[in-house]
Amino acid sequence: MPWWGRERDGIEQIQSGGPPFGQIRILVVGDSGVGKTSLVHLILKGCSIAHPRPTVGCAVGVKHISYGSASMSSNNLKGDGENDFFVELWDISGHDRYKDFRHLFYTQINGVIFVHDLSQRRTKASLQNWAAEIASTGTFSVPLGSGGPGGLPVPYLIIANKTDISSNQRHASSGNLVDVARMWVEKQGLLSSSEELPLIDSFPGSSSLLAAAKEARYDKEAVMKFFKQLIRRRYFPDEQPAPSPWPVPPVPNSEHLDNQFYSSFRVDKPVLHSQRTYAHSYSFQRFSETRSDESDSSKLEIAEINY
Ligand SMILES: Nc1nc2c(ncn2[C@@H]2O[C@H](COP(=O)(O)OP(=O)(O)OP(=O)(O)O)[C@@H](O)[C@H]2O)c(=O)[nH]1
């Protein structure tokens, strides 16, 4: 059996029989305990992990996804216009003991997933430091023409975790979209965010991470679109992304935003429903010198995950 066909912990088996067409590397970063390992496990396995151990240095998980491209149809391995790609998820420990060494893992990065814990505001603020650290010490595959937060020159995705335990707090809401809308309003300086949310540091025993992850806006569709965006950037830069079904409002003036990190994160079309069935889109990361084929691909459609 070829090496890519072995079933190993955290590594999915390639079903097509052919070798992978390519690989992209994504860092998953954020402060210790925000839920990075839990998220990676959810992405890889589609289910929760009951008691994740603190990551030692870095753990790499590999997800296999198929990507279809017009330019692959004539020479693709599967014969259906699609080929297999490996998505490497480098889960970087957020513990301070690795702070001086973790830059060793910042090599040939295609994208970054930032994770923060909604019940601990400081974990959101520190994403700026993470971005600056990666930008200053990392090496990048297919870097953008200009940097984003902290000078980060690759696309990124922000995942706000643990809404389940922050939702009991003062600012929290009954639905995810309301939380998103509140965060957006706070960005505009229209709402005070000075009050720290209390720390609650236990995973609810009666609730699975999957349920928690749904609460926390982990969105399978958005994550897969992010992966495919990165595959396209690396391997098919000339291809145009599919047009977005969503109207694009003007970008808010970044001078009015109190946080550079969130200046590139905005709700395109918030649709507030009382129930949890919803759809809207975000825009992530609009750089001034971003190529035109990336402007649409930076929009990510959000919907609830269903496994
Ligand atoms: N309530 C709640 N707890 C969560 C959620 N996601 C993860 N946790 C818990 O948070 C704790 C830390 O999760 P990890 O996934 O290990 O966090 P990490 O960011 O990988 O931490 P480091 O390895 O130290 O960097 C664990 O006890 C998880 O069970 C969530 O959505 N809600």
Side-chain angles (χ1 to χ4, degrees), residues 36-159:
K36 300 180 294 296
T37 302
S38 307
L39 174 73
V40 169
H41 191 277
L42 187 64
I43 291 172
L44 295 181
K45 306 283 189 184
C47 62
S48 62
I49 179 170
H51 302 291
R53 292 183 180 168
T55 303
V56 177
C58 172
V60 182
V62 180
K63 183 167 182 64
H64 145 240
I65 68 172
S66 296
Y67 181 86
S69 159
S71 57
M72 286 197 299
S73 57
S74 56
N75 63 346
N76 73 304
L77 298 162
K78 294 169 78 176
D80 56 1
E82 291 204 332
N83 270 321
D84 296 314
F85 290 84
F86 282 158
V87 177
E88 297 176 1
L89 296 167
W90 288 52
D91 173 10
I92 308 291
S93 170
H95 199 283
D96 273 353
R97 80 168 63 100
Y98 304 109
K99 193 172 174 35
D100 295 338
F101 311 103
R102 61 195 180 205
H103 65 88
L104 296 171
F105 303 118
Y106 301 164
T107 57
Q108 291 305 303
I109 304 160
N110 291 98
V112 179
I113 295 179
F114 294 97
V115 185
H116 69 92
D117 177 347
L118 276 173
S119 70
Q120 299 186 66
R121 288 280 170 109
R122 61 178 171 74
T123 65
K124 183 172 87 172
S126 74
L127 295 185
Q128 184 73 33
N129 299 331
W130 279 98
E133 178 181 304
I134 294 166
S136 62
T137 60
T139 60
F140 300 90
S141 169
V142 202
L144 293 160
S146 63
L152 188 72
V154 287
Y156 63 90
L157 187 65
I158 303 170
I159 294 194

Side-chain angles (χ1 to χ4, degrees), residues 248-260:
V248 180
V251 180
N253 185 343
S254 60
E255 288 178 7
H256 295 156
L257 305 180
D258 59 353
N259 183 330
Q260 186 202 351

